[in-house]
């Protein structure tokens, strides 16, 4: 790669792809992309793609990294590793496949850095509803968090003290340092290229990619952080234990599907270490259902689950 090209910033690549890629597709007669979509198929594709991102946020970032309520595992690792070492003298890396898939997918679809997300979220729990809380509607107002939550996130991500104090224990392997963190904005450009080729410039870029790009900023940084601390019902008097006052956390809806179970935010604040966010018979947490499925295949190990006898 020439020096001029390697010096271009991520948004310049984005522009080149958009302006240069579309005529190429026209020229090669794949204007509708490799997979032309009907309206129904389009709706399914967008819902599935964004749901995978939501699952990655709630299972990997939130329950896995920020709260350590689950651990990602390598299935049959001991057996396979022993065979590999005995026969081939090969020391297999302990790569948990689900964690790697989620990290790759989050790089492609959000550009967020695991350490930053984890640190900001842990700080939110530690300072809930105080002036130090990175995105409390009590401080910033519900509409600023709901529609501008992503800007509050970006502002806090630049606070080096937050990242150093709350970001311990997140991945620091080769791929994290050299790809996911170093080039964290380039994954979404690769995603743009994939959507462009698969679904064409109109549907792929404006119908799929743009929706993917605003989904997490709106539903995670806006709805969970804003509405989840403003509107809804409460099962628990969830406390900011350090400051000794009730936080504003709410359960937005008892059926947690669209945002992966995160709608049960009051339950979560009451018992943040629990991998399961539903506590009542009428509540459903789809993230917990996915965790249980992954657990049966040995891909995830659950460490903590809410127990009504433990008032933690
Ligand atoms: Zn919260
Ligand atoms: Zn949390």
């Amino acid at each position: 790669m020439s020096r001029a090209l390697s010096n271009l910033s991520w948004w310049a690549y984005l522009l080149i792809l958009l302006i240069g890629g579309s005529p190429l597709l026209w020229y090669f007669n794949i204007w509708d992309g490799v997979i032309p979509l009907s309206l129904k198929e389009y709706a399914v594709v967008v819902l599935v793609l964004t749901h995978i991102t939501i699952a990655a946020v709630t299972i990997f970032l939130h329950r896995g990294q920020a709260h350590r309520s689950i651990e990602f595992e390598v299935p049959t690792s001991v057996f396979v590793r022993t065979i590999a070492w005995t026969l081939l003298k090969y020391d297999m890396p302990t790569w948990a496949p689900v964690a790697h898939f989620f990290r790759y997918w989050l790089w492609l679809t959000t550009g967020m850095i695991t350490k930053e997300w984890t640190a900001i979220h842990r700080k939110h729990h530690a300072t809930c509803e105080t002036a130090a809380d990175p995105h409390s509607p009590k401080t910033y107002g519900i509409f600023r968090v709901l529609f501008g939550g992503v800007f509050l996130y970006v502002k806090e991500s630049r606070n080096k003290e937050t990242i150093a104090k709350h970001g311990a224990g997140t991945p620091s392997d080769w791929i994290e340092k050299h790809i996911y963190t170093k080039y964290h904005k380039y994954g979404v450009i690769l995603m743009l290229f994939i959507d462009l080729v698969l679904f064409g410039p109109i549907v792929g870029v404006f119908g799929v990619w743009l929706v993917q790009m605003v989904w997490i900023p709106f539903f995670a940084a806006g709805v969970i952080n804003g509405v989840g601390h403003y509107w809804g019902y409460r099962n628990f008097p969830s406390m900011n234990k350090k400051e000794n006052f009730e936080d504003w956390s709410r359960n937005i809806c008892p059926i947690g599907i669209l945002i992966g179970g995160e709608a049960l935010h009051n339950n979560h604040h009451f018992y943040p270490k629990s991998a399961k966010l539903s506590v009542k018979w009428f509540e459903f947490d789809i993230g917990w259902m996915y965790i249980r499925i992954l657990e049966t295949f040995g891909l995830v190990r659950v460490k903590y689950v809410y127990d009504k006898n433990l008032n933690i």
Side-chain angles (χ1 to χ4, degrees):
M1 195 186 284
S2 76
R3 198 177 172 80
L5 260 182
S6 63
N7 280 342
L8 283 178
S9 61
W10 64 276
W11 54 265
Y13 283 106
L14 206 81
L15 272 179
I16 290 169
L17 254 179
L18 273 176
I19 297 165
S22 303
L24 270 179
L25 290 177
W26 185 275
Y27 180 78
F28 288 111
N29 202 21
I30 46 171
W31 182 247
D32 287 334
V34 178
I35 313 169
L37 297 174
S38 70
L39 196 61
K40 265 190 201 160
E41 289 164 346
Y42 161 73
V44 171
V45 164
V46 165
L47 277 175
V48 168
L49 291 179
T50 50
H51 193 73
I52 296 170
T53 311
I54 285 285
V57 169
T58 183
I59 298 170
F60 175 73
L61 285 179
H62 192 200
R63 307 183 209 203
Q65 293 296 308
H67 296 291
R68 299 266 162 218
S69 57
I70 57 171
E71 213 55 75
F72 294 92
E73 301 278 352
V74 184
T76 63
S77 59
V78 176
F79 177 72
V80 176
R81 280 168 66 86
T82 309
I83 295 287
W85 179 249
T86 313
L87 297 180
L88 307 167
K89 291 281 172 272
Y90 176 62
D91 192 10
M92 285 179 71
T94 50
W95 279 22
V98 173
H100 275 278
F101 169 75
F102 281 148
R103 288 169 69 191
Y104 176 63
W105 188 259
L106 287 165
W107 178 70
L108 274 184
T109 57
T110 70
M112 297 190 300
I113 297 170
T114 300
K115 195 179 188 67
E116 289 179 358
W117 195 99
T118 302
I120 293 167
H121 186 72
R122 286 177 184 162
K123 185 177 181 184
H124 161 62
H125 278 272
T127 62
C128 198
E129 256 73 85
T130 67
D133 186 341
H135 41 65
S136 170
K138 191 177 179 182
T139 308
Y140 297 101
I142 179 63
F143 291 106
R144 185 160 171 209
V145 181
L146 182 56
F147 298 108
V150 65
F151 302 109
L152 295 171
Y153 175 88
V154 171
K155 186 178 153 221
E156 193 63 31
S157 71
R158 292 179 183 141
N159 184 342
K160 293 212 163 41
E161 199 192 318
T162 300
I163 311 305
K165 190 174 171 191
H166 300 279
T170 49
S172 58
D173 50 7
W174 186 92
I175 200 166
E176 187 64 46
K177 282 185 213 150
H178 294 90
I179 308 281
Y180 296 151
T181 296
K182 190 174 179 188
Y183 297 109
H184 69 103
K185 287 175 177 164
Y186 289 76
V188 295
I189 296 171
L190 179 58
M191 191 75 241
L192 176 76
F193 179 73
I194 294 168
D195 285 339
L196 186 74
V197 173
L198 287 182
F199 310 117
I202 306 295
V203 176
V205 174
F206 297 101
V208 179
W209 186 78
L210 266 184
V211 175
Q212 284 182 291
M213 293 305 112
V214 297
W215 202 267
I216 289 300
F218 179 67
F219 282 105
V223 174
I224 301 169
N225 294 342
V227 180
H229 280 259
Y230 207 80
W231 286 307
Y233 69 97
R234 292 167 74 91
N235 287 327
F236 304 107
S238 176
M239 299 295 286
N240 178 330
K241 287 175 187 131
K242 211 168 151 199
E243 307 284 335
N244 200 29
F245 62 79
E246 238 177 83
D247 69 38
W248 284 16
S249 62
R250 296 282 190 280
N251 292 327
I252 304 167
C253 166
I255 309 299
I257 294 175
L258 188 67
I259 40 179
E262 294 286 340
L264 298 158
H265 203 62
N266 171 244
N267 297 350
H268 170 60
H269 266 268
F270 183 70
Y271 194 31
K273 279 189 100 56
S274 177
K276 178 174 180 261
L277 306 186
S278 57
V279 299
K280 303 275 187 190
W281 65 268
F282 56 85
E283 291 172 344
F284 176 67
D285 166 15
I286 201 168
W288 173 242
M289 188 187 88
Y290 295 146
I291 288 168
R292 295 287 282 171
I293 293 168
L294 293 170
E295 194 186 28
T296 59
F297 290 102
L299 293 160
V300 154
R301 180 168 56 86
V302 175
K303 289 166 71 184
Y304 307 97
V305 177
Y306 168 74
D307 180 343
K308 65 176 184 292
N309 299 315
L310 288 173
N311 191 13
I312 297 172

